[in-house]
Amino acid sequence: MKFLVTGGAGFIGSAFVRMLLDASRGDDVINLDKLTYAGNLENLASVTHSPRYRFVHGDICDAEVVNNLVSDTRPDVIVNFAAESHVDRSILSPAPVFETNLRGTFTLLEAARMHKTPRFLHVSTDEVYGSIDAPHEANEGYPLRASSPYSASKAGSDLLALSYFVTYKMPVTVTRASNNYGPYQFPEKLIPLMISNAMEDKPLPIYGDGMQIRDWLYVDDHCRAVLAAIERGRPGEIYNIGGSRALPNVEVVQLILDAVGKPVSLMQTVTDRPGHDRRYALSSHKLMQETGWLAEMPFEKGLKTTIDWYRNNTEWTARVKSGEYQNYYDRNYANR
Ligand code: NAD
Ligand code: DAU
């Protein structure tokens, strides 16, 4: 198939592009990415020279760019990973999340409608359900209760995407995944930030009591799930994609400190994130039953693979932490 992937230079999008360009598959991939602070073509170094790959530098909010690209390339499927993806940044500056996550999704949907793209997969998040009280799990019919500007923008874009199925009969599917981790994740997110700070003997900032629960999903398991939803899922449907292990943040950080051989005293409690969701918990029963997908990577093994990757790629981390990163870090953490 010919895929138009947006946000393919980011953490999950680049894993998805690498998966599609693997020798075991024959897909063609066009990657449309604005290269924001989170987009990094180094993540695609292993596939850049593939004759099946093409990169287009552009903004999903730019209707002319998007329309021309869809018209010229006629993809079989559009997979929308492009987003402003970080909750803390969305709290510090909400405008970009609404621009990219809402207007960008709208622009892509309109191009797909105009050019009758056969399939549209919108990548979303479990955060749209808000905090879930134990012992419950959210299934796809659970109410939307977004807490942050980021999650509100994702919930809005999900509704917009699904409305195109209802109104225009467009073959749109929405996936909602839990917290991803793995190689190439930008070190603003919990796991890479803690690995990177621990390796540099810097304090590890724990929001509030650190007992918030996240359900960790290895990035390659997420990519296989998105592909399963495209290949075997039904248009007009939502599919949750849960992880292989739900853990409180402090336990995750403790495992990282143990693995890199650094003391617990590096953990530093800081003021909690405003509107911080206490617990995410998903039922992925529907996706498993309809497509046969399973999260395969055990958390301990995935965490070890991830830590080893950051240990072996200190230059990648140093490069992405230079420049804008320090400004963000100071804005988010300095007065906490
Ligand atoms: P990321 O921040 O690592 O990457 C986002 C990518 O989108 C970057 O390459 C960036 O340059 C690109 N981008 C941003 N704005 C753009 C625009 N206007 N036009 C074109 N490209 C643009 O994000 P990620 O963690 O890889 O997340 C990818 C998707 O998965 C997002 O939609 C996110 O909401 C969703 N998601 C993420 C997680 C997670 O744990 N990271 C979990 C569930 C769902
Ligand atoms: O659940 C899926 C979502 O997971 C995705 O939709 C988002 O794109 C992705 O960023 C992620 O959101 P979270 O807010 O859950 O991830 P983050 O890595 O920012 O934080 C994970 C948990 O760790 C959360 O409870 C906040 C806490 N935390 C995070 C950071 C960065 C800390 O305690 N300290 C920190 O410095």
Side-chain angles (χ1 to χ4, degrees), residues 6-13 32-40 58-61 80-86 100-101 104 122-126 150 154 176-181 184-186 188-189 222:
T6 70
F11 163 50
I12 307 170
L32 173 63
D33 197 301
K34 184 180 175 184
L35 299 181
T36 67
Y37 76 91
N40 185 351
D59 188 334
I60 61 165
C61 302
N80 182 27
F81 285 98
E84 288 293 334
S85 70
H86 194 42
T100 286
N101 302 1
H122 177 63
V123 176
S124 189
T125 169
D126 62 355
Y150 164 72
K154 294 298 288 190
R176 292 179 177 153
S178 61
N179 283 65
N180 282 220
Y181 71 104
Y184 299 101
Q185 188 168 28
F186 195 83
E188 63 190 357
K189 309 289 194 318
H222 184 185

Side-chain angles (χ1 to χ4, degrees), residues 85 125-127 150 179 189-190 205 214 249 273 276 333:
S85 70
T125 169
D126 62 355
E127 297 209 6
Y150 164 72
N179 283 65
K189 309 289 194 318
L190 181 78
R214 298 292 184 266
N249 295 336
R273 173 187 280 175
H276 198 170
Y333 294 101

Side-chain angles (χ1 to χ4, degrees), residues 67-288:
N67 273 324
N68 287 342
L69 188 60
V70 176
S71 162
D72 291 348
T73 61
R74 298 279 166 175
D76 299 304
V77 50
I78 296 177
V79 190
N80 182 27
F81 285 98
E84 288 293 334
S85 70
H86 194 42
V87 173
D88 292 317
R89 286 185 193 255
S90 84
I91 293 169
L92 291 169
S93 316
V97 296
F98 293 112
E99 189 62 18
T100 286
N101 302 1
L102 284 164
R103 186 191 298 281
T105 303
F106 167 69
T107 305
L108 289 168
L109 286 164
E110 278 293 278
R113 180 165 81 92
M114 194 179 305
H115 300 291
K116 300 191 171 29
T117 305
R119 206 82 168 81
F120 192 106
L121 189 297
H122 177 63
V123 176
S124 189
T125 169
D126 62 355
E127 297 209 6
V128 298
Y129 301 120
S131 201
I132 314 282
D133 290 336
H136 303 290
E137 288 182 332
N139 63 22
E140 290 79 358
Y142 208 79
L144 299 180
R145 270 194 330 198
S147 308
S148 68
Y150 164 72
S151 49
S153 71
K154 294 298 288 190
S157 61
D158 291 11
L159 294 178
L160 193 60
L162 291 165
S163 78
Y164 274 60
F165 173 78
V166 177
T167 304
Y168 303 115
K169 311 290 177 244
M170 258 176 59
V172 174
T173 301
V174 171
T175 54
R176 292 179 177 153
S178 61
N179 283 65
N180 282 220
Y181 71 104
Y184 299 101
Q185 188 168 28
F186 195 83
E188 63 190 357
K189 309 289 194 318
L190 181 78
I191 288 184
L193 186 143
M194 297 298 164
I195 295 171
S196 163
N197 281 18
M199 289 191 339
E200 294 175 20
D201 294 303
K202 290 191 173 145
L204 309 191
I206 308 291
Y207 294 168
D209 65 3
M211 292 306 290
Q212 304 83 5
I213 291 176
R214 298 292 184 266
D215 181 13
W216 293 99
L217 173 68
Y218 193 68
V219 62
D220 293 347
D221 279 335
H222 184 185
C223 292
R224 283 190 307 100
V226 169
L227 199 55
I230 293 166
E231 291 179 341
R232 301 188 290 286
R234 287 174 293 145
E237 295 294 321
I238 302 165
Y239 293 95
N240 287 346
I241 310 171
S244 59
R245 181 76 76 82
L247 280 176
N249 295 336
V250 278
E251 285 190 33
V252 174
V253 176
Q254 179 70 65
L255 287 170
I256 292 170
L257 285 169
D258 291 348
V260 298
K262 295 294 168 88
V264 176
S265 56
L266 280 181
M267 280 198 222
Q268 189 177 80
T269 300
V270 299
T271 308
D272 207 351
R273 173 187 280 175
H276 198 170
D277 286 331
R278 196 74 185 159
R279 175 176 177 268
Y280 295 143
L282 282 184
S283 163
S284 318
H285 186 74
K286 181 174 168 184
L287 183 71
M288 294 193 290

Side-chain angles (χ1 to χ4, degrees), residues 18-32:
R18 293 192 301 272
M19 181 184 75
L20 293 179
L21 293 172
D22 185 85
S24 63
R25 296 186 62 89
D27 307 298
D28 290 317
V29 180
I30 301 135
N31 171 18
L32 173 63

